[in-house]
Amino acid sequence: MEKVVNLATITTDFNVAKFYKPKLESTNETLAKDPKKIDKEEASKLLDNQFIAKDTLCYFKDEMERLPGDMYIASKSDWMSRKLKPVKTFGYAYKTVAWSEENDTIAVLNHVYFPKVDMIESENGDLVLITASKSDLKQPVIDQLEKFLKSKYKAGKSSESDFSREKISDWEDDKFIYRLIKMEKTYSVSSGGESRSEKKLEIDYVIFNKKFLPIIKETGNRIGGQSFEAYN
């Protein structure tokens, strides 16, 4: 069983559930431990492990008519949908909810290692979406990633978010849309009783299965926090 997935060689038949199974089992084993029966050293080591959560994604009727279609896709546990009755199941989302930026790796792309990777599969087990995230990158690393993507895929439909100032670059082939989202974020860091601002470069690398473009067109063009409206 592969522990790290190479995002440069991903295929539409990638088995999301199989990949996350041991990671979910490890998370569940950790959460099942009685905190009263483990010492501080063991607890510290356990908290350093990746924690993975699995959500069920469902179709919900758009009662407020906010979207182009009459339904939308959301997690059953989402605060806006948990009290609603789903129309039917769409699939499952696997999310990295705790990780170490320095020590964890779930995926790699052109020698860039990602500690946080979320994936969505359909109810039939088809790969739908991958989002790999990494922070504290240097600009040359991002430039190298862009150079790699430009050499491997044809140009897609790029944009810049007016709200978050994210710069979004797309590439594509006959199976996938590949998206690189670059952003600069400012964090407040406390040390020695003093606070200071610290800027970090962050990226999300997204792979979306084009097979599902017609489906999300009917449900508002968004899935996994990503919009693909430009492709419909």
Side-chain angles (χ1 to χ4, degrees):
M1 171 61 62
E2 58 182 326
K3 294 183 178 180
V4 178
V5 58
N6 185 350
L7 299 176
T9 59
I10 207 77
T11 57
T12 55
D13 61 355
F14 179 80
N15 193 321
V16 177
K18 184 178 180 181
F19 178 72
Y20 277 101
K21 183 180 179 182
K23 302 178 191 300
L24 272 174
E25 289 175 346
S26 176
T27 296
N28 292 334
E29 287 174 5
T30 299
L31 294 176
K33 291 181 179 293
D34 186 345
K36 297 178 181 179
K37 296 181 178 180
I38 56 177
D39 57 29
K40 290 184 178 180
E41 184 177 351
E42 184 183 358
S44 178
K45 289 180 180 180
L46 289 174
L47 291 174
D48 283 339
N49 294 337
Q50 295 167 333
F51 281 68
I52 305 296
K54 181 181 178 181
D55 277 343
T56 300
L57 302 180
C58 295
Y59 292 93
F60 293 91
K61 190 165 181 60
D62 184 18
E63 302 285 358
M64 300 179 67
E65 299 181 348
R66 298 171 301 170
L67 302 170
D70 62 354
M71 289 193 295
Y72 63 95
I73 298 171
S75 167
K76 283 178 65 176
S77 62
D78 186 88
W79 70 274
M80 291 186 66
S81 57
R82 65 179 62 166
K83 294 182 180 180
L84 302 177
K85 182 179 180 181
V87 177
K88 59 180 178 179
T89 300
F90 169 77
Y92 305 96
Y94 298 80
K95 298 180 180 180
T96 313
V97 295
W99 66 97
S100 167
E101 193 72 39
E102 295 78 22
N103 301 320
D104 290 336
T105 297
I106 297 183
V108 61
L109 177 67
N110 195 37
H111 306 295
V112 175
Y113 295 89
F114 294 88
K116 180 183 188 304
V117 181
D118 301 339
M119 297 191 194
I120 294 174
E121 64 173 351
S122 72
E123 189 175 24
N124 295 327
D126 293 327
L127 171 64
V128 180
L129 184 82
I130 299 175
T131 303
S133 305
K134 186 172 179 62
S135 66
D136 200 20
L137 286 172
K138 307 301 181 186
Q139 188 60 47
V141 176
I142 296 176
D143 293 342
Q144 186 62 33
L145 274 181
E146 288 185 320
K147 182 179 179 181
F148 171 77
L149 292 167
K150 286 177 182 178
S151 68
K152 191 170 178 65
Y153 310 111
K154 67 179 183 179
K157 302 176 182 181
S158 301
S159 62
E160 182 171 339
S161 169
D162 293 331
F163 174 72
S164 63
R165 309 309 297 174
E166 295 174 343
K167 294 183 179 179
I168 302 171
S169 300
D170 283 2
W171 295 266
E172 59 181 312
D173 57 20
D174 59 332
K175 300 293 185 182
F176 294 112
I177 294 169
Y178 306 90
R179 172 169 293 173
L180 187 64
I181 305 170
K182 300 175 292 182
M183 61 212 104
E184 185 180 87
K185 292 188 177 181
T186 302
Y187 296 87
S188 178
V189 180
S190 298
S191 177
E194 297 183 356
S195 296
R196 70 180 192 278
S197 294
E198 186 176 280
K199 291 184 177 180
K200 287 186 177 181
L201 287 172
E202 300 189 353
I203 64 165
D204 287 338
Y205 179 62
V206 179
I207 302 176
F208 175 68
N209 188 344
K210 293 168 79 171
K211 171 183 176 179
F212 293 92
L213 277 173
I215 292 176
I216 62 167
K217 182 179 180 180
E218 297 171 358
T219 57
N221 289 299
R222 296 189 69 87
I223 190 166
Q226 298 296 321
S227 172
F228 295 95
E229 186 176 3
Y231 291 87
N232 287 314

